[in-house]
Amino acid sequence: YASGPLLASWLTLDPASKELLIDPDALQTFVIKNIDDLFDDAPQNSRFEIQAGVLTEIIPGRAGSAVNTGKISSVFNDRLRAIQSNQSPSYSVLRIEVPVITKEPQITAATIGHYQITDLIGTARTSLGSSGASRRTNIKLGIARINGLLVAPGEEFSAVSIIGYVTEEAGFEPEFVIKGQESVKELGGGLCQVSTTLFRTVLAAGLPVTERQNHKYVVGYYGPGLDATIYGPHPDLRFINDTANYILVQGKVIGNEAVFEIYGKKDGRVAQVSEVKITNRIPPPTPKYIPSTELALGEQKCTETARYGQTADATYTVTYATGES
């Protein structure tokens, strides 16, 4: 569904015919953000991995269903021409059937020569510490959904979109997540370690972060200041590939660590992240006792650990080959 103001923002004046027509780029952007993800069989690009220094296809791409934006534009423009020529009444609601086509993947082994991925431009790792089996399973599944993804120049990456639906059928297990001010068990607990590790990798690569939110309190696995929580649809971890070439996001679990690497083509930029500075440390309030019918008379159970409040600051600086930062 697109509202009147949004539709109006898509209009552009055709210089030849002097008609108001639909801007195809604006329509394409709307389709990508609001419709494409609704397809269960959307086209999938190939996934890649650097093996012995060579970009290698590890999962072949496949064709799938997609919106025929060209046909939608044509229908829109026919309606607009009819309105402008007074051959059709104005519409309070304009209903247009979404036409679907079969679309081939855009990124495959056949196009591998276009990517110019030669250099490791950023990497980071975080410890899994004493993570239990369920948390480790969720982390491995989350990393696997991101591993091998190519991000085009100018494209925005969304961790929530790439990881997709977190379901029991997909193998995700219940584990603790931070929800509001407390820890509760939900499917996918531990995925924030995936986003946190990737966030630090993005910083190391010197890429611009467009969305990131810290946890409500410090998580022992990665400490304060440089964490990134995700919980679809928001908060999300998003960044933009502002380089002139494709980049490869590669992730894995090695031993007791979650690891991400970003490969691309070095362009002379240098990224620096300062040490995290902790200020405004506030002690936790006194314990809060809540009556429960689930415990025996006189029995007590700790459901949430007390934590200090604090402010964590770090400075992220990227200096480009031009000297600008």
Side-chain angles (χ1 to χ4, degrees), residues 80-306:
L80 288 171
R81 289 189 182 98
I83 293 172
Q84 292 172 81
S85 64
N86 294 321
Q87 296 179 3
S88 174
S90 298
Y91 293 90
S92 58
V93 176
L94 182 60
R95 299 186 185 278
I96 294 179
E97 184 177 343
V98 177
V100 177
I101 58 173
T102 298
K103 186 177 180 180
E104 296 295 324
Q106 293 179 310
I107 298 175
T108 66
T111 60
I112 202 168
H114 301 164
Y115 306 137
Q116 302 183 45
I117 295 173
T118 56
D119 307 310
L120 176 65
I121 62 174
T123 185
R125 54 183 64 211
T126 58
S127 173
L128 301 183
S130 58
S131 296
S134 295
R135 191 172 189 275
R136 291 172 183 268
T137 293
N138 295 336
I139 290 171
K140 288 178 180 179
L141 287 173
I143 289 178
R145 290 194 173 187
I146 296 173
N147 179 52
L149 183 74
L150 287 185
V151 184
E155 183 180 354
E156 184 179 47
F157 171 98
S158 162
V160 168
S161 295
I162 298 303
I163 292 175
Y165 293 110
V166 177
T167 64
E168 190 174 1
E169 290 75 17
F172 289 98
E173 300 180 10
E175 191 47 86
F176 282 107
V177 301
I178 299 175
K179 196 169 185 179
Q181 299 291 334
E182 59 182 355
S183 300
V184 296
K185 277 201 171 185
E186 288 189 2
L187 286 176
L191 287 177
C192 289
Q193 181 144 8
V194 176
S195 55
T196 292
T197 312
L198 181 55
F199 171 60
R200 296 180 180 185
T201 307
V202 170
L203 297 183
L207 301 173
V209 177
T210 51
E211 183 178 347
R212 170 260 173 183
Q213 182 174 305
N214 59 283
H215 290 81
K216 293 295 184 181
Y217 46 77
V218 176
V219 179
Y221 294 109
Y222 20 84
L226 296 176
D227 57 317
T229 182
I230 54 172
Y231 195 95
H234 296 282
D236 193 1
L237 172 66
R238 293 173 177 260
F239 67 88
I240 291 178
N241 174 13
D242 68 338
T243 74
N245 302 94
Y246 277 82
I247 60 173
L248 166 68
V249 182
Q250 189 166 296
K252 50 199 165 185
V253 172
I254 301 177
N256 203 40
E257 293 183 312
V259 181
F260 271 109
E261 300 165 328
I262 295 180
Y263 290 87
K265 191 173 181 64
K266 291 183 178 179
D267 59 5
R269 73 180 67 188
V270 177
Q272 291 180 310
V273 181
S274 70
E275 292 291 328
V276 178
K277 182 180 180 181
I278 304 297
T279 59
N280 194 31
R281 190 167 168 83
I282 304 171
T286 57
K288 183 178 181 180
Y289 295 91
I290 302 173
S292 173
T293 57
E294 298 179 1
L295 301 177
L297 184 63
E299 183 181 358
Q300 294 183 1
K301 180 180 179 181
C302 180
T303 58
E304 195 65 58
T305 303

